[in-house]
Amino acid sequence: TALELTRELTRDHPGRVPGSPDADGAARWFEEKLRLFGIPVEEDVWQADVPGLGEVALRNLTAIVRGTLEDRIVVVANRDNREGSSGANDNASGTAALVELARAYATVGTGGAQPRRPLHTIVFLSTDAGAYGDLGAARFARSEDADRAVATLVLTGLAGRATPHVELAGLEHRSPPAALVRTLIARLGDERAPPARPGVLEQLVALGIPLALGEQGPLLGAGIPAIRLGTAP
């Protein structure tokens, strides 16, 4: 189903460059999909100077499933893509996976029993300008929900044929908690071969000279436990 959603998003809104009509259409598409599940979506709209685009309106979309605890588990995927590409893998695939994960907590249209209330509150976050400096993730990093995050998973480029890749690098001298990394790798290992991850030397260099490719970068930089999952660059 996630694959079909990936195809639908890239077919109907191929040019999701921030501030474009397709970007607005993709935001409505995400909201409509979650509305079918009975999950309300909140908008955070702001103006930003986007490199190469100038001043445009950006939009983060947040769907919250309330748990027993106020602590947040956040799942993130950016909707936008670079001009000249439909962004099927990067990152319509991550957005489609975000929708499918939210479906597990649908309150309408499932035809089955209602889902149990999760232990942690779960935040499904669809960000803008991920392909233009991770501006949506940086915006979220300054929010109240981010302050309560105990784990954040960034989904990017899930439809590639390469080996799954876990990205740990941030924009500051920080890395995600070891328990979070081990948990993700163990869960992926249940499905297929464990994913690739940076070696010790690469991790030490990344901590000494912070450089991040992905939305986990600004999140880690703000002290939020975050890790990115995708296919190897």
Side-chain angles (χ1 to χ4, degrees):
T1 304
L3 178 58
E4 290 304 315
L5 288 173
T6 299
R7 290 170 175 161
E8 179 183 325
L9 180 56
T10 53
R11 180 193 68 229
D12 295 347
H13 307 289
R16 302 179 302 279
V17 177
S20 69
D22 266 343
D24 293 338
R28 291 193 301 271
W29 180 91
F30 182 83
E31 290 183 87
E32 289 167 2
K33 294 299 181 187
L34 268 65
R35 190 178 301 120
L36 293 174
F37 307 151
I39 301 176
V41 176
E42 300 175 3
E43 287 191 339
D44 176 22
V45 183
W46 74 102
Q47 294 289 129
D49 186 8
V50 180
L53 301 178
E55 191 81 8
V56 298
L58 300 180
R59 181 181 287 106
N60 279 355
L61 304 174
T62 306
I64 299 178
V65 176
R66 299 291 176 183
T68 304
L69 303 176
E70 280 299 312
D71 289 342
R72 265 63 165 159
I73 293 176
V74 185
V75 189
V76 185
N78 68 290
R79 296 184 312 278
D80 63 300
N81 62 308
R82 286 277 178 178
E83 190 173 4
S85 167
S86 65
N89 185 38
D90 186 8
N91 191 30
S93 66
T95 300
L98 196 65
V99 171
E100 277 303 287
L101 289 171
R103 185 200 292 269
Y105 299 93
T107 58
V108 298
T110 61
Q114 294 299 312
R116 289 184 298 176
R117 189 179 187 185
L119 176 61
H120 291 86
T121 293
I122 303 176
V123 177
F124 298 98
L125 173 63
S126 174
T127 57
D128 208 345
Y132 289 82
D134 305 315
L135 300 184
R139 171 83 171 185
F140 175 77
R142 299 188 292 271
S143 72
E144 182 178 333
D145 283 324
D147 291 339
R148 297 173 177 172
V150 295
T152 305
L153 176 62
V154 177
L155 306 176
T156 305
L158 301 181
R161 297 183 181 275
T163 302
H165 183 79
V166 172
E167 181 62 54
L168 312 175
L171 295 177
E172 298 290 343
H173 303 279
R174 298 188 179 100
S175 59
L180 177 58
V181 178
R182 288 196 302 267
T183 300
L184 175 60
I185 289 175
R187 293 296 178 267
L188 290 171
D190 291 341
E191 301 295 329
R192 56 182 298 173
R197 55 177 165 172
V200 173
L201 179 59
E202 186 177 350
Q203 292 183 50
L204 289 173
V205 171
L207 287 172
I209 310 174
L211 175 64
L213 299 176
E215 292 186 293
Q216 86 289 344
L219 296 172
L220 281 169
I224 301 165
I227 192 170
R228 179 169 69 91
L229 173 65
T231 48

